[in-house]
Amino acid sequence: MDELAASLTEYVDRTRDAQIELLRSLVLAESPSLVPAAQQEVLSLLHAELKDLDFEVEQIPGDQTGGHLLGRTRSAHGDGTQLLIGHCDTVWPLGTLERRPVDIRDGRMTGPGVYDMKAGLTQIIFALRALRDLGVSPAHQPVVFINSDEEIGSRESKEHIWRLAREVDRALIMEPSLGPSGKLKTARKGVGRFTLRVKGRAAHAGLDPEAGASAILELSFLIQKLFALNDPEKGVTVNVGMIDGGLRPNVVAPESSASVDVRVLRQEDVAEIEAAIHGLEPSTPGVEVEIDGRIGRPPLELNSRNRALWELARGCGAALGLDLSEGTAGGGSDGNHTSPHTATLDGLGPVGDGAHAEHEYIELGPTVARTALLALMLARAT
């Protein structure tokens, strides 16, 4: 273990209790995506932490979200810039803590949002603290962006993320690692949402069924065409997750709809799958089909600049005595938005399991070690 890696390991071990205390405070500040006012407590905590690190912090207001934090160091460091991204919103409604309180037992910490992703936010703060307290200058100027709408598709924040990604040399995404083994996420599928609306013609199902045109019948045909677009070899998945339609059992359905989730592994497949969905035609006489949607989050691909960042992580891990591995995630993150513009590595956050699940937890030992990993990566050029 080299001298800096040893110093960082000692530092994160020594500050373990302080890390746990900050993380506990962040988890106790419940912050569901769909309650903008609930974001203010957690954003205020993070604002104070960044100010203590001598960051110039801008609070960006949201229109329908809780807003976002953008922090830049006041002091100059290295050449270029590096972006650290995290989100403070969770999928858990207010009051979840009443039945799932924060708890530490057998080296694990549980609580709503602890894994996805308030531990990752804690890692950002303590990695930067480690470099400051040890007198180590980052290789590139750190920029921190924390949004409050990632769990609902980064609806308002993605334009800020795109702008920042075009300005920086690399992006480190503090989403949780991939499963209990702690894999870093070197690829993610792109994500799209589509809506199909079928308009038919109502008629009495007993007296005059031939006068009707069933939107539900047509939707059943379209669903089969959609599922036929699945291509496991290419990593393309198409799932009709919700359907609706009809008026009453004795009425030929005049309308129906379907909500569709689409995932793609490669950018080169995006245009093809979008064209295939928008090109669907009805086969039932007398019905019309309207189709909306697109791939909103592009894939995080295994390109050369992303691979170089992975190799840096693996080398830093080896210096710290960590044997890192990589994997591909089917879900999207803000790393999907940065990857088309700059080198991106995702899944640098906590080790644990249960994102969006009742058993959500982090492993404290490995997660603290990931704080040292982040700090070492910040200190070293790609």
Side-chain angles (χ1 to χ4, degrees):
M1 186 178 292
D2 63 36
E3 184 176 349
L4 178 55
S7 296
L8 288 170
T9 298
E10 188 276 332
Y11 182 92
V12 298
D13 287 343
R14 175 163 45 88
T15 60
R16 174 186 171 118
D17 288 347
Q19 293 179 60
I20 292 172
E21 190 55 36
L22 175 59
L23 177 53
R24 185 193 301 274
S25 297
L26 295 176
V27 176
L28 289 175
E30 292 184 293
S31 49
S33 309
L34 298 177
V35 186
Q39 305 294 332
Q40 299 317 304
E41 182 180 359
V42 67
L43 287 170
S44 294
L45 288 168
L46 294 164
H47 189 287
E49 292 292 338
L50 290 171
K51 291 282 282 187
D52 182 65
L53 287 162
D54 199 31
F55 271 64
E56 199 171 302
V57 186
E58 176 187 0
Q59 187 144 355
I60 302 170
D63 291 328
Q64 298 179 351
T65 71
H68 324 293
L69 292 182
L70 175 60
R72 300 179 186 270
T73 54
R74 298 178 188 273
S75 305
H77 296 287
D79 298 320
T81 52
Q82 53 190 336
L83 177 63
L84 295 94
I85 292 185
H87 67 85
C88 62
D89 61 318
T90 76
V91 300
W92 300 106
L94 293 176
T96 301
L97 281 167
E98 294 176 12
R99 59 182 179 81
R100 287 180 53 210
V102 178
D103 187 35
I104 297 176
R105 192 175 306 175
D106 299 326
R108 289 183 173 181
M109 186 172 183
T110 58
V114 67
Y115 179 59
D116 188 13
M117 59 161 291
K118 290 180 176 178
L121 299 175
T122 304
Q123 288 172 254
I124 291 174
I125 299 302
F126 274 86
L128 292 168
R129 274 197 200 181
L131 296 182
R132 180 198 64 184
D133 293 351
L134 295 174
V136 177
S137 183
H140 308 292
Q141 192 88 356
V143 176
V144 176
F145 184 77
I146 299 168
N147 61 345
S148 68
D149 62 351
E150 193 276 342
E151 296 292 5
I152 52 175
S154 303
R155 299 170 184 173
E156 294 182 352
S157 64
K158 62 186 175 186
E159 291 190 8
H160 299 288
I161 293 169
W162 294 338
R163 173 178 55 81
L164 292 167
R166 295 186 188 103
E167 298 172 357
V168 303
D169 297 282
R170 63 192 191 193
L172 307 176
I173 314 299
M174 299 308 298
E175 287 283 338
S177 59
L178 190 58
S181 62
K183 293 180 180 180
L184 300 190
K185 298 168 181 175
T186 52
R188 280 185 180 271
K189 287 187 175 183
V191 183
R193 295 286 188 272
F194 295 81
T195 301
L196 278 66
R197 298 180 183 87
V198 183
K199 296 182 180 180
R201 186 169 59 250
H204 194 291
L207 297 177
D208 196 16
E210 293 81 7
S214 175
I216 287 179
L217 175 63
E218 178 56 39
L219 184 61
S220 71
F221 297 146
L222 292 170
I223 288 172
Q224 294 177 67
K225 293 176 183 178
L226 286 165
F227 275 102
L229 296 175
N230 280 283
D231 190 336
E233 290 187 6
K234 287 186 175 181
V236 174
T237 59
V238 180
N239 181 64
V240 180
M242 296 174 63
I243 60 172
D244 192 16
L247 297 176
R248 298 173 61 88
N250 63 345
V251 178
V252 176
E255 58 186 32
S256 65
S257 64
S259 298
V260 187
D261 177 280
V262 178
R263 312 269 164 154
V264 292
L265 194 57
R266 303 178 302 178
Q267 184 63 32
E268 64 188 62
D269 295 321
V270 168
E272 181 180 350
I273 193 67
E274 286 182 335
I277 293 173
H278 282 285
L280 292 171
E281 295 285 348
S283 52
T284 302
V287 304
E288 298 176 356
V289 179
E290 295 178 357
I291 301 172
D292 298 317
R294 63 187 182 89
I295 304 296
R297 275 181 171 167
L300 193 169
E301 296 188 277
L302 292 167
N303 58 35
S304 58
R305 64 190 181 196
N306 291 351
R307 296 305 295 169
L309 198 48
W310 155 246
E311 292 299 336
L312 171 67
R314 189 162 64 168
C316 289
L320 292 162
L322 304 175
D323 184 15
L324 300 178
S325 56
E326 60 177 315
T328 297
S333 81
D334 289 326
N336 295 68
H337 292 309
T338 61
S339 183
H341 307 292
T342 191
T344 299
L345 183 61
D346 204 334
L348 284 160
V351 178
D353 197 22
H356 303 189
E358 291 286 332
H359 69 283
E360 182 177 11
Y361 70 89
I362 64 166
E363 299 283 1
L364 286 169
T367 297
V368 168
R370 290 294 170 92
T371 302
L373 173 66
L374 177 61
L376 191 57
M377 290 187 67
L378 292 172
R380 293 187 171 169
T382 306

